[in-house]
Amino acid sequence: ILQSTDYEKRKERILEIRDIYEECYLEENKKPWERCSASVGMAEWTQEDTSVEPVFRRADKLMYEEKEIFKEKYGIIR
């Protein structure tokens, strides 16, 4: 849950996180099990939301979509 400046720069933050994980995954000098990867999904609270549950569901859906894109791009090496 982001607040203040992090919330204001949320799109930049999510791109930074994705870049960090992608760089780590692509480090060829490391063994496959030493590389890390993660998928990230972000969703925002809307006026229609009555609890955090739908927000987390949307973020989770986006995270899995990101995961599929990553797999299509790099495959699975583990």
Side-chain angles (χ1 to χ4, degrees):
I1 298 177
L2 302 175
Q3 299 177 20
S4 190
T5 312
D6 285 332
Y7 179 77
E8 293 167 9
K9 296 183 178 190
R10 61 194 172 279
K11 292 178 182 174
E12 291 92 346
R13 295 283 184 251
I14 198 120
L15 292 174
E16 288 172 7
I17 292 168
R18 287 177 180 155
D19 287 346
I20 289 167
Y21 278 113
E22 189 170 18
E23 286 174 19
C24 179
Y25 186 81
L26 296 174
E27 289 186 56
E28 293 181 6
N29 60 331
K30 291 185 175 182
K31 294 180 173 61
W33 59 86
E34 295 175 319
R35 301 175 191 179
C36 60
S37 66
S39 298
V40 183
M42 177 181 69
E44 297 178 26
W45 185 275
T46 67
Q47 291 181 348
E48 293 81 31
D49 294 322
T50 57
S51 71
V52 297
E53 188 176 333
V55 181
F56 284 118
R57 269 188 296 197
R58 288 194 305 275
D60 197 47
K61 181 179 182 287
L62 292 169
M63 185 264 313
Y64 279 104
E65 289 173 8
E66 181 73 21
K67 189 174 197 169
E68 287 304 314
I69 291 168
F70 190 88
K71 284 181 188 177
E72 287 175 16
K73 188 174 182 180
Y74 297 111
I76 300 173
I77 63 168
R78 299 173 214 261

